[in-house]
Amino acid sequence: MTDIIIISSPKIQINGPLLSLAQLKSVILKSGFSCKTLDFNVWLYHQMANTDLAYVWETTDNTFVDFKIFKKELESTLTVLTKKYVEEVINPLNPKILGISSLSKFSWPSIICICKVFREMLPNTKLLLGGPSIGVPEFITSYFYKTIKSENLIDDYITGDAEISIVEYLKGNKSFPGINNHKYENNFDRNEIPTPDYSDIDFSLYQNLRLSVSGSRGCVRSCAFCNVPALWPKFINKTGEKVANELIELYEKYFAPKRHNFLFVDSLMNGNMKEFNSMIKILADYRTKTKSQLFYGGQYIFRENVKPNDIFFDNLFNSGCHYLTVGIETGSDKLRFEIGKPFTNESIKSHLRELRRVGIKMTPLMLIGFPTETDDDFEKTLDILDLFAENRDVVHSVSVDTTMIVIEGTPVHSQWREFGIEEGTLHKMQEWVSKDNDYKKRLERFFLFLNKAKELKLYDKPTVSGKTIGHARDYLEKFTDHNPKVLKIIEENFKPK
């Protein structure tokens, strides 16, 4: 009998297993309990890959997200496949507890579906739900209490980071913070947590595998559109030595001597520059001595201007960092400061210069439709695409797949008056109205931006949120006074099927 099995729930991208599976396995084993981790998500992908339902795994498809579409097109198939999974994979392991990890809202419809199957087929197994998405207010109010709890689909749940609480749960301590309540405690010493254990995972099942690692929680900034500070009020990081040693251990255990690209899933890698410098020095020394093919990348923040030939960037490159994802957001210095990112276009230029010099790539994350974004701000955002195109050896593409959504727990949500949002529109998340723009205006800016990025070969197709096609449908169906140029862009590039 296995003390606990932890599985991933669909829909998640298929370029690697969830870090949570491996991280929780390591702490559970260290505490003396038995644990098996299963990537149910990637198993489902392969079950559907050559069927009429293969399309649901496309980035832009919302079948897993929209309850009505899910119920009509996918629920019956997912039910059958989940029963097959229980019979073939879970039952032989005879778990006392089945832990189900829900990463995002893309899992909400499927969570309800698979929990119904688990409850029916595993009557003697405790069902435990966890993961970031179950702490989201929308999930709590709309789905959790109304369906999951009321229909007794699970026995228990854990909110917040579970590295400590899941061990307490296994010990029977259900009074621990975060167990069956939303008053969790994330402020524990990350340096005491063992290296993630991916030994249960079959890496051959993934496309363009990138193993996930983490060095911190939270963020040193408080961007107005972001709810990370609400989820992790305090920035907490491991030491640079701890992070470097984890990377080296994972590389040598699973990939050496072949090349592997690790992905930092943190809000930012360089929140603590002292520890970040420590990490890159250790990794640079290791790679120099061993000639290893260890590489990594992740989210990074720009600060002040950097001097020419700054040795920091040489060390960063030598440590194996080969790409950065940076929240540039806008081409307007004024707007970027209002968002909460205090760096200028001159700082961007100086960073591009150094990244080009050492050979590190960068993907800018862009935001269309901040509440105070004016027409002038947007024109500057279009202009910055020219800067990126001039630095094509550094910037291969930009990332933008949605207009701004007002999320609960963000400064924009709590201070909506200060950001000019009209009373009575805040609850609409995407269709809110401000004095500087409304949903129609934001959609037009969105497609004008995509069009120029496409013309400059900085944008190919949706890669992150999958909102592009939905935005096109909204523009065509919800409004009649279309901008002819925007209409042409949609017709030629993004017309819904």
Side-chain angles (χ1 to χ4, degrees):
M1 178 172 277
T2 308
D3 289 322
I4 185 169
I5 292 175
I6 304 176
I7 69 168
S8 61
S9 58
K11 174 185 175 182
I12 310 165
Q13 290 186 350
I14 52 170
N15 60 354
L18 285 178
L19 172 60
S20 62
L21 299 181
Q23 190 63 84
L24 294 180
K25 179 180 175 69
S26 71
V27 299
I28 290 168
L29 293 182
K30 183 181 178 181
S31 300
F33 296 94
S34 58
C35 176
K36 188 77 173 178
T37 51
L38 304 171
D39 195 336
F40 182 44
N41 178 76
V42 79
W43 182 88
L44 280 171
Y45 166 77
H46 285 285
Q47 292 291 311
M48 297 182 187
N50 296 313
T51 72
D52 293 340
L53 284 170
Y55 68 90
V56 303
W57 295 92
E58 295 176 5
T59 303
T60 55
D61 185 81
N62 285 327
T63 304
F64 271 104
V65 185
D66 188 300
F67 272 86
K68 291 182 179 178
I69 300 175
F70 175 85
K71 192 169 187 64
K72 178 183 177 182
E73 300 184 12
L74 188 58
E75 185 177 49
S76 61
T77 299
L78 181 57
T79 298
V80 171
L81 288 174
T82 304
K83 289 180 178 180
K84 178 182 179 182
Y85 194 71
V86 171
E87 292 172 353
E88 296 181 0
V89 182
I90 295 178
N91 274 342
L93 296 170
N94 192 20
K96 296 178 183 177
I97 301 165
L98 177 62
I100 305 138
S101 180
S102 175
L103 179 65
S104 72
K105 69 177 183 180
F106 287 85
S107 298
W108 291 351
S110 60
I111 284 289
I112 295 172
C113 175
I114 65 177
C115 281
K116 288 180 179 178
V117 175
F118 294 149
R119 178 60 83 200
E120 175 190 345
M121 297 187 67
L122 300 166
N124 300 316
T125 298
K126 293 286 187 182
L127 301 183
L128 173 67
L129 182 63
S133 82
I134 70 167
V136 176
E138 181 187 352
F139 179 74
I140 297 169
T141 57
S142 299
Y143 310 115
F144 187 72
Y145 290 113
K146 289 183 179 179
T147 303
I148 292 178
K149 288 293 285 182
S150 65
E151 295 184 15
N152 194 33
L153 298 182
I154 61 170
D155 295 285
D156 301 291
Y157 64 96
I158 293 179
T159 57
D161 294 341
E163 286 91 332
I164 306 299
S165 54
I166 198 164
V167 174
E168 293 300 315
Y169 179 81
L170 289 167
K171 292 177 179 178
N173 180 14
K174 292 188 181 182
S175 63
F176 193 81
I179 298 178
N180 294 328
N181 61 65
H182 289 82
K183 298 178 181 179
Y184 51 83
E185 176 55 68
N186 283 339
N187 193 18
F188 54 86
D189 187 356
R190 311 277 161 164
N191 295 298
E192 297 299 318
I193 303 300
T195 301
D197 185 338
Y198 286 98
S199 59
D200 290 332
I201 304 299
D202 181 355
F203 295 144
S204 69
L205 297 176
Y206 301 92
Q207 297 179 356
N208 303 314
L209 174 68
R210 292 186 299 174
L211 217 58
S212 296
V213 292
S214 177
S216 65
R217 284 295 204 184
C219 188
V220 296
R221 286 185 172 154
S222 183
C223 297
F225 61 81
C226 182
N227 67 344
V228 166
L231 298 173
W232 295 281
K234 183 180 179 181
F235 178 74
I236 306 169
N237 62 276
K238 302 174 185 175
T239 65
E241 181 180 12
K242 166 70 171 172
V243 179
N245 288 338
E246 280 193 8
L247 278 166
I248 293 169
E249 181 181 343
L250 289 170
Y251 174 73
E252 292 185 342
K253 184 175 182 179
Y254 299 116
F255 304 107
K258 297 179 180 179
R259 176 180 177 124
H260 186 71
N261 303 324
F262 290 94
L263 171 66
F264 275 85
V265 293
D266 306 336
S267 297
L268 70 170
M269 295 190 295
N270 62 327
N272 183 325
M273 285 303 296
K274 176 183 176 182
E275 297 301 338
F276 191 63
N277 272 303
S278 171
M279 181 196 83
I280 65 176
K281 183 180 185 304
I282 293 170
L283 289 176
D285 289 346
Y286 168 76
R287 294 179 78 252
T288 299
K289 292 175 182 176
T290 63
K291 308 299 182 185
S292 81
Q293 293 292 299
L294 186 162
F295 292 89
Y296 68 92
Q299 293 197 144
Y300 183 94
I301 57 172
F302 285 172
R303 292 183 170 90
E304 68 285 340
N305 291 353
V306 292
K307 298 177 181 178
N309 302 312
D310 190 327
I311 192 65
F312 166 80
F313 289 93
D314 297 271
N315 294 334
L316 186 62
F317 176 79
N318 291 332
S319 73
C321 181
H322 67 123
Y323 75 94
L324 303 173
T325 303
V326 183
I328 301 296
E329 316 304 351
T330 174
S332 165
D333 288 346
K334 173 188 75 68
L335 186 62
R336 196 179 300 113
F337 274 72
E338 290 172 356
I339 288 172
K341 299 200 169 185
F343 61 90
T344 65
N345 288 346
E346 289 304 311
S347 175
I348 296 171
K349 292 176 183 177
S350 67
H351 279 85
L352 288 171
R353 179 196 66 228
E354 292 303 289
L355 294 175
R356 182 195 309 110
R357 181 178 64 80
V358 299
I360 297 175
K361 310 300 181 187
M362 182 191 89
T363 298
L365 302 178
M366 305 301 293
L367 178 69
I368 304 299
F370 192 74
T372 59
E373 181 185 70
T374 63
D375 288 340
D376 181 64
D377 292 326
F378 178 64
E379 288 301 319
K380 290 176 180 176
T381 297
L382 290 178
D383 291 341
I384 205 169
L385 288 173
D386 296 317
L387 174 64
F388 297 149
E390 292 166 5
N391 290 272
R392 194 175 304 280
D393 48 348
V394 177
V395 181
H396 287 176
S397 64
V398 296
S399 178
V400 56
D401 281 314
T402 185
T403 59
M404 181 172 153
I405 300 173
V406 177
I407 302 172
E408 192 170 341
T410 64
V412 167
H413 189 276
S414 61
Q415 303 165 39
W416 55 272
R417 286 188 178 89
E418 288 87 337
F419 287 99
I421 295 179
E422 290 185 6
E423 190 169 3
T425 68
L426 186 64
H427 69 284
K428 296 182 179 181
M429 290 188 69
Q430 197 135 36
E431 298 184 37
W432 50 269
V433 177
S434 75
K435 64 182 180 64
D436 289 306
N437 58 75
D438 57 17
Y439 189 42
K440 178 175 179 289
K441 171 71 76 173
R442 291 192 292 276
L443 289 174
E444 289 172 347
R445 290 174 179 171
F446 178 78
F447 286 107
L448 290 170
F449 179 88
L450 289 190
N451 185 60
K452 181 171 181 179
K454 195 172 180 68
E455 289 177 344
L456 293 172
K457 294 182 172 53
L458 290 170
Y459 184 89
D460 180 22
K461 58 184 178 180
T463 57
V464 181
S465 69
K467 295 288 185 183
T468 305
I469 304 301
H471 282 345
R473 184 178 294 108
D474 281 354
Y475 189 72
L476 296 175
E477 296 178 356
K478 295 185 177 185
F479 307 102
T480 56
D481 53 336
H482 298 130
N483 179 315
K485 184 174 181 180
V486 172
L487 196 60
K488 183 179 180 182
I489 293 169
I490 291 174
E491 290 286 339
E492 293 180 351
N493 300 287
F494 304 105
K495 188 175 181 179
K497 298 179 181 179

